[in-house]
Amino acid sequence: MAAWSVPVSKIYRGNETISQSVPRIKGVRDILPDETPVWRFLEQKIHAQAAAFGYREIRTPAFEATELFVRSVGSETDIVNKEMYSFTDQAGKGLTLKPELTAPVIRAYIQNNLHREAPLTRLYYIDALYRQERPQKGRLRQFHQFGAEAIGSPYPEQDIEIITLAYDICSAFCSDLTVRLNTIGDPSSRSTFLELLRKSLEPHSAAFGPLDRRRLQSNPLRLFDSKDEHTQDLLDRFAPRIHEHVSSEDAEHFATVKSGLEALGLPVLHDPKLVRGLDYYTRTTFEIISPHLGAQDALCGGGRYDRLVEDLGGPSVPAVGFAAGIERLLIAAGGELPGQVPPNQVDVYLVSKGDRSTQPAIELAAKLRKSGYVVIMETLRRSIKAQFREANRTGARAVLILGDDEIAAGSVTLKLMDSGHQETISLDRATDILGDYLRPERPVDGG
Ligand code: HAM
């Protein structure tokens, strides 16, 4: 049996075989035609806002070497430990559907030598990601993010730019947002803190579950990501605060980022427990949260990661970035996005009757579309009455009727749906005459 052969679900009724539909995978969603205009509108805003800050779009492959995420996100994180969709290809290589985009973007930056083009590279993305989490509202197994990475500047103004870009986009659609901010310092000062953290929690290690007990030994910072209430309670009571154990340069960096954001009027809240669930962060960590999201309250997360480029084999350059969840943003926005315009209206429904009218109808539709009209033509060969019903359903502004009589006379009948006005016009001049009544909805290509 070939590796890809799967049993096909079939039901047998007598001699008849009925195929069953293949169920959708848990935790994934179809984005249906009623929803795609909202997505497109949001995506256009993201493209426009990223461009306004000088960021350029990057697109990376759907899968990467598993090692990329183990080395960057970290082997003790939930993402790498429990959530990755990893598989082995036919050549035995370990691959993973991307669970996040910072590591792929940095891999692309290094491999394409983008650092040689300019000392600072500003990149943004909109993409689908995969994490095998327990699905619930705002938490999916395939979800979408937009995000940005600024690679090259160590200075606090770069952090401020990234957080402002994230906040500008999110706040264009969602209200009541808060920016949670913290600093976790540089790894050079972190080992002393980690030792202190371990020492202060070790006397209580019996109260931890197996996973958190392991984290206490291997990577105690990850305890802050724990979903276990006991662990969070012990952290509240006994853990030292990381921002109190960073270098004076790191503390100054943090103070400048915080005051810079406050001066811009952003609602900033210092959250001393915010360490973020990925290993690559240094100094600044932040999240944008919404009270309208429930348990999954983070709309956006990010921070500085000054060591990652070098750790992945690139030059020693600092970087900072963010990513926001599109599904969560839509939930927080309450379904409708402010400023959204209705999708293109249908200008013309082309009613055809009789065999000889099909090809002229195809040609007329093509001609009208070239002039910018949105045209739907009949392809189900329905009765005239049913075609008019369909024209009404689509909200078409006009109907053009092309039947054998019209073909013979070189004409077409125009009916305006609003006023009911009807007239017979010359087929050759249909576009011009239609223009006396309707302006095309769509911009003409190249026009
Ligand atoms: P993250 O916090 O793992 O960070 O994800 C960022 C955002 O993606 C979250 O705040 C959330 O809105 C959304 N998200 C994450 N997981 C899911 C899920 N299962 N379902 C729906 N939405 C989800 C990162 O991914 C980092 N790469 C961010 C970053 C960029 N740091 C620096 N640069």
Side-chain angles (χ1 to χ4, degrees):
M1 191 196 252
W4 42 263
S5 302
V6 288
V8 176
S9 309
K10 300 232 176 200
I11 301 173
Y12 298 96
R13 190 197 290 145
N15 287 337
E16 212 186 332
T17 312
I18 306 161
S19 294
Q20 276 188 310
S21 65
V22 180
R24 195 178 55 192
I25 298 162
K26 201 169 143 189
V28 305
R29 280 190 68 233
D30 300 306
I31 305 169
L32 296 173
D34 277 350
E35 300 169 84
T36 46
V38 177
W39 281 71
R40 267 216 310 268
F41 176 71
L42 178 62
E43 285 159 8
Q44 279 159 9
K45 283 274 174 184
I46 296 163
H47 289 300
Q49 199 62 12
F53 278 69
Y55 284 69
R56 295 187 306 151
E57 189 186 6
I58 184 163
R59 300 185 190 199
T60 60
F63 51 87
E64 297 274 355
T66 300
E67 186 197 348
L68 175 69
F69 302 109
V70 177
R71 275 173 57 184
S72 55
V73 176
S75 55
E76 285 298 326
T77 58
D78 280 351
I79 293 179
V80 170
N81 243 331
K82 322 192 259 196
E83 297 169 4
M84 293 205 300
Y85 283 100
S86 299
F87 56 99
T88 309
D89 74 1
Q90 311 261 356
K93 186 153 178 54
L95 301 173
T96 293
L97 292 181
K98 54 190 174 188
E100 66 102 52
L101 276 153
T102 308
V105 166
I106 297 304
R107 184 212 36 77
Y109 168 86
I110 297 168
Q111 272 174 0
N112 296 289
N113 287 317
L114 298 187
H115 57 280
R116 298 226 180 103
E117 286 177 12
L120 181 62
T121 307
R122 290 181 168 97
L123 301 170
Y124 80 96
Y125 45 79
I126 305 176
D127 211 340
L129 304 176
Y130 309 89
R131 294 185 193 174
Q132 194 161 358
E133 297 195 73
R134 208 147 38 83
Q136 53 174 268
K137 188 179 169 203
R139 197 206 274 159
L140 293 155
R141 293 187 168 177
Q142 178 183 309
F143 61 99
H144 298 78
Q145 281 185 346
F146 65 89
E149 315 290 345
I151 310 151
S153 168
Y155 300 115
E157 51 269 39
Q158 190 62 68
D159 307 42
I160 294 172
E161 177 182 285
I162 274 286
I163 297 173
T164 312
L165 171 59
Y167 185 79
D168 280 1
I169 298 174
C170 294
S171 64
F173 305 112
C174 309
S175 47
D176 310 318
L177 301 179
T178 304
V179 181
R180 266 197 210 142
L181 190 69
N182 195 22
T183 180
I184 60 167
D186 188 78
S188 54
S189 58
R190 203 172 303 155
S191 54
T192 332
F193 171 76
L194 293 183
E195 214 30 61
L196 185 69
L197 181 62
R198 195 177 287 127
K199 281 219 177 82
S200 36
L201 294 171
E202 244 158 15
H204 314 282
S205 71
F208 288 130
L211 174 64
D212 287 346
R213 212 170 306 136
R214 198 176 77 210
R215 282 168 161 166
L216 179 63
Q217 294 315 321
S218 60
N219 192 349
L221 203 59
R222 294 280 64 90
L223 288 170
F224 286 96
D225 313 331
S226 175
K227 294 181 180 87
D228 189 327
E229 280 175 23
H230 276 307
T231 302
Q232 288 302 333
D233 180 50
L234 290 170
L235 288 170
D236 283 340
R237 288 195 290 153
F238 303 110
R241 295 298 181 234
I242 192 164
H243 73 278
E244 291 168 354
H245 297 270
V246 301
S247 69
S248 56
E249 292 83 4
D250 291 346
E252 198 184 318
H253 184 98
F254 175 66
T256 313
V257 173
K258 185 164 177 288
S259 61
L261 293 170
E262 283 164 350
L264 288 168
L266 268 65
V268 181
L269 181 78
H270 180 194
D271 176 355
K273 274 171 70 186
L274 181 70
V275 299
R276 305 264 308 129
L278 302 96
D279 272 357
Y280 48 63
Y281 291 113
T282 58
R283 292 191 155 182
T284 312
T285 52
F286 77 97
E287 282 182 355
I288 300 179
I289 57 165
S290 160
H292 308 299
L293 279 176
Q296 308 299 317
D297 66 352
L299 203 59
C300 166
R304 187 164 269 289
Y305 51 95
D306 290 343
R307 304 290 181 103
L308 183 62
V309 182
E310 194 173 5
D311 286 350
L312 290 178
S316 172
V317 283
V320 55
F322 79 88
I326 296 185
E327 285 83 356
R328 287 196 195 170
L329 191 145
L330 292 173
I331 295 172
E336 284 203 6
L337 301 185
Q340 193 194 338
V341 289
N344 265 354
Q345 200 185 328
V346 175
D347 293 314
V348 176
Y349 195 94
L350 199 47
V351 170
S352 52
K353 49 178 181 175
D355 287 349
R356 288 198 301 139
S357 67
T358 306
Q359 186 58 28
I362 293 171
E363 287 166 21
L364 178 59
K367 203 166 138 194
L368 291 169
R369 289 188 194 114
K370 277 208 178 92
S371 302
Y373 292 102
V374 176
V375 183
I376 296 183
M377 69 165 279
E378 173 69 13
T379 56
L380 279 177
R381 302 189 178 181
R382 283 173 283 195
S383 69
I384 299 291
K385 203 170 150 203
Q387 291 189 48
F388 264 94
R389 218 180 297 126
E390 182 62 10
N392 269 321
R393 202 186 62 81
T394 63
R397 297 195 290 166
V399 165
L400 287 175
I401 307 152
L402 207 50
D404 287 345
D405 292 348
E406 281 88 351
I407 300 295
S411 66
V412 58
T413 303
L414 164 70
K415 180 169 180 188
L416 299 176
M417 299 303 266
D418 258 2
S419 60
H421 170 82
Q422 188 165 326
E423 71 180 81
T424 299
I425 59 179
S426 137
L427 186 54
D428 289 343
R429 296 199 52 238
T431 313
D432 291 344
I433 297 170
L434 192 64
D436 293 341
Y437 295 105
L438 301 184
R439 290 229 309 202
E441 278 284 320
R442 213 159 43 87
V444 183
D445 293 344

